[in-house]
Amino acid sequence: MGRVVRRVGERALLVELADTDEVSALYGWALEARTAGALGEVEELVPAARTLLLDGVADLAAVAALLRTARPRGTTAAGGPLLEVPTVYDGADLAEVAALWGVSEEAAVRIHTAPEYVVAFCGFTPGFGYLTGLPPQYHPPRRATPRSAVPPGSVALAGAFTGVYPRSSPGGWQLLGRTALSLWDTARRPPALLEPGVRVRFVAARA
């Protein structure tokens, strides 16, 4: 699918893209262009799995034309701050994921802590970021039967994404471990630790 730009309401544009990498790249380009003043007034940029929403756009026609012809330099928007996430790797699905990868549990932890991840987009629940960066050969399927309640702080995998559950909720991701970090706090500014573009390193920690 090529890049499609659609008008949404009175002051918004929705860009439809082929995949998360293209969204991340265009999101990074749009952030830089907005900072440089090239987009005029744009209040908010909201990336998702295959779309990028620009809200509060003053000049819809001009910005739509720029979005159609934009040529981002990279494939990700990895320019944000680096967040280390101390993780106790004792998740209920660690052994199953290790077996799926054909390695020991200790090796599975090394595999998961090796990459630098990037928050591609947020959703599902406040503070939940979808992190990319794990090599394709380590993309596990979702659980066949979701859990009715996943503990807060759970570090989990599903397909191409790693995530951390900010609060207890239903979920079908594979649970590798847990962190004590508070991912969502309304008294904090911003309330979410994981925002699009933030770089993340998972660090193995003792219980």
Side-chain angles (χ1 to χ4, degrees):
M1 182 185 81
R3 187 184 305 168
V4 177
V5 181
R6 302 184 189 278
R7 180 170 173 170
V8 181
E10 295 297 321
R11 299 191 65 199
L13 294 168
L14 186 70
V15 189
E16 299 176 358
L17 297 132
D19 53 33
T20 304
D21 284 345
E22 287 194 11
V23 173
S24 294
L26 188 63
Y27 173 67
W29 174 90
L31 282 175
E32 292 180 359
R34 184 175 67 169
T35 300
L39 299 182
E41 180 185 347
V42 177
E43 294 178 5
E44 192 172 11
L45 300 169
V46 185
R50 291 184 176 84
T51 61
L52 175 63
L53 176 70
L54 290 81
D55 196 14
V57 181
D59 191 337
L60 291 171
V63 174
L66 288 172
L67 290 169
R68 291 187 181 97
T69 58
R71 295 293 180 266
R73 292 189 297 272
T75 57
T76 69
L82 176 64
L83 174 68
E84 289 194 348
V85 179
T87 302
V88 178
Y89 282 91
D90 60 357
D93 302 319
L94 177 60
E96 183 176 332
V97 171
L100 183 66
W101 291 348
V103 300
S104 66
E105 292 183 23
E106 293 77 9
V109 172
R110 291 194 294 271
I111 288 169
H112 189 253
T113 55
E116 181 177 280
Y117 298 82
V118 178
V119 182
F121 58 97
C122 298
F124 171 59
T125 191
F128 189 95
Y130 289 77
L131 282 63
T132 58
L134 199 63
Q137 65 267 33
Y138 301 123
H139 292 178
R142 295 172 60 93
R143 292 183 55 80
T145 304
R147 293 179 170 90
S148 60
V150 174
S154 293
V155 175
L157 297 178
F161 300 110
T162 290
V164 184
Y165 284 77
R167 61 184 182 183
S168 179
S169 64
W173 290 30
Q174 309 281 0
L175 305 185
L176 294 189
R178 54 193 166 91
T179 182
L181 286 183
S182 174
L183 277 295
W184 177 260
D185 183 352
T186 55
R188 186 173 57 207
R189 291 293 179 267
L193 281 183
L194 299 179
E195 295 189 309
V198 170
R199 297 173 295 131
V200 176
R201 281 276 188 187
F202 290 94
V203 179
R206 294 183 179 273

